Amino acid sequence: MATSRNGKIKVNRKKGGRNSRPLVGFIVLAVLVVAAVFLIDGLLNQKRPEKKPEPPKVVARHKLPPRESAAEKEPVVHEDYTATVVPPPTERHVRPRPAGSGNLAIIIDDMGKGMQEARSIIDIGVPVTFSIIPGLPKVRQVAQEAQRRGIEAMIHLPMEPKGYPERRLEENGLLLSQSNDEIVVRMNGYFKEVPQAVGANNHMGSAFTENKEKMAIVLRVLKEKGLFFVDSKTSAISVGESTAREMGLRTASRSVFLDNIQDVGYISKQIRQAASIARKRGSAIAICHPHPATIQALAAELPKLRDEGVTFVPASSLVH
């Protein structure tokens, strides 16, 4: 800027002054926009209440229920786990063996092979009944020893089984093919070998005891001699007992076979079963054989059962 000769101020205009005007205008416009934005935001914040940030949610795996008063509290019910749980070891409680009365007759079949087995059974000191097969090597000696020691003797009648002759039978056995007279002759021969016998039961005979006609011949001989008959029940459809009752012969049938399996534990269990039946029904008849395992089980169990109240009786006490 300069002073002219006449005293007036003279403004010098440089090049480019006109170009600065748009820039200034843009800056002013930007400032106005920013101010307007802040003004509008302030007005909105005054109308909208401020929200407090929510705390992060905590996921609880085991959420406890609110405490209840004593009056409102209900019994706690624990539901079963769905996962596999191994239970702790439990103590074994030994069941007391049942005690009580009951008459039990034990018939030892197949006697007559030797004296040692006979003495071993007698020495147990419990009444049993020997059923002796005619024709065996020591028939007379066993029968005499039984009589001397107060042991009841029976005749173990060898009778035809199913499957004969493939299934072996003693040569003096009773067969369905024999005549009635032959059966009577053989029966009388049995009594000559065991004159001490007070009764009889069938050895094998699953086929013979199903035949009522042939059984009637055998039972008639027994009745004439005053003997009883015990049906060993080697056949589920045996007619031995029913025919004997029709004829007025004293009779009974076997309740339990003790030694179908030659194992001391198994035989002991069967002896206990027979005693249980005797307690429930009042009496029972069990049949076994003079095997070593059987004799061992009898020696262990019979005295215990006697002490528990079981009464051991001869087979003649349980026929009627």
Side-chain angles (χ1 to χ4, degrees):
M1 184 176 62
T3 304
S4 64
R5 293 179 180 179
N6 55 9
K8 294 182 180 181
I9 299 173
K10 186 178 180 180
V11 178
N12 296 326
R13 295 172 181 243
K14 295 181 179 181
K15 291 181 181 181
R18 292 181 182 179
N19 296 335
S20 63
R21 288 180 181 179
L23 178 62
V24 172
F26 177 78
I27 294 173
V28 172
L29 181 60
V31 170
L32 290 175
V33 172
V34 171
V37 170
F38 277 99
L39 179 61
I40 294 171
D41 185 66
L43 293 174
L44 292 176
N45 288 338
Q46 288 179 358
K47 294 181 180 180
R48 182 173 56 194
E50 182 179 358
K51 289 185 179 180
K52 295 182 179 181
E54 296 182 0
K57 294 182 180 181
V58 178
V59 180
R61 294 186 178 180
H62 302 284
K63 188 176 181 180
L64 297 177
R67 294 181 178 272
E68 298 177 353
S69 62
E72 299 177 352
K73 192 172 183 180
E74 297 181 354
V76 178
V77 177
H78 298 280
E79 297 182 355
D80 294 336
Y81 291 104
T82 56
T84 303
V85 179
V86 179
T90 56
E91 296 182 359
R92 294 184 62 185
H93 298 283
V94 179
R95 292 183 180 180
R97 288 181 171 176
S101 60
N103 295 325
L104 179 58
I106 295 183
I107 299 175
I108 316 294
D109 281 353
D110 296 358
M111 296 299 293
K113 296 177 183 178
M115 290 299 297
Q116 183 58 48
E117 58 191 17
R119 293 192 180 104
S120 297
I121 296 171
I122 295 173
D123 288 342
I124 295 174
V126 174
V128 295
T129 300
F130 283 178
S131 191
I132 303 170
I133 298 179
L136 294 184
K138 300 293 182 179
V139 168
R140 297 183 186 277
Q141 294 91 325
V142 169
Q144 292 171 358
E145 181 70 10
Q147 185 178 38
R148 188 178 71 84
R149 300 285 295 272
I151 297 296
E152 189 170 82
M154 297 168 54
I155 296 175
H156 202 28
L157 303 171
M159 292 179 166
E160 181 179 331
K162 291 181 179 179
Y164 178 83
E166 285 75 15
R167 293 188 65 185
R168 188 184 65 83
L169 179 68
E170 284 74 12
E171 293 181 359
N172 61 346
L174 305 177
L175 304 176
L176 293 173
S177 59
Q178 294 168 350
S179 67
N180 294 346
D181 292 339
E182 177 65 20
I183 291 174
V184 172
V185 169
R186 294 199 175 201
M187 286 286 294
N188 288 328
Y190 300 155
F191 296 115
K192 292 179 181 179
E193 292 190 60
V194 191
Q196 301 89 345
V198 296
N201 71 326
N202 56 291
H203 167 57
M204 304 183 77
S206 55
F208 198 97
T209 58
E210 292 180 3
N211 189 298
K212 186 171 183 177
E213 178 185 352
K214 295 299 183 181
M215 280 302 301
I217 302 302
V218 172
L219 297 173
R220 187 174 297 115
V221 176
L222 294 178
K223 185 177 181 180
E224 290 173 356
K225 295 184 177 296
L227 275 62
F228 60 82
F229 176 73
V230 174
D231 194 336
S232 300
K233 287 290 184 182
T234 55
S235 168
I237 56 174
S238 169
V239 297
E241 183 181 14
S242 60
T243 304
R245 294 203 182 283
E246 291 175 5
M247 297 174 61
L249 184 68
R250 292 183 300 149
T251 187
S253 63
R254 180 267 312 165
S255 303
V256 181
F257 272 126
L258 300 182
D259 54 358
N260 285 335
I261 299 175
Q262 288 302 295
D263 175 78
V264 175
Y266 170 83
I267 298 169
S268 297
K269 182 180 178 181
Q270 293 296 98
I271 294 172
R272 288 279 167 182
Q273 181 184 0
S276 178
I277 294 173
R279 290 187 179 104
K280 292 177 181 178
R281 301 179 184 175
S283 64
I285 295 176
I287 291 179
C288 59
H289 307 83
H291 303 303
T294 304
I295 296 174
Q296 183 179 346
L298 292 174
E301 296 296 334
L302 299 193
K304 294 178 184 177
L305 289 172
R306 179 185 56 193
D307 294 341
E308 293 172 12
V310 174
T311 301
F312 291 94
V313 297
S316 61
S317 298
L318 301 184
V319 295
H320 56 85

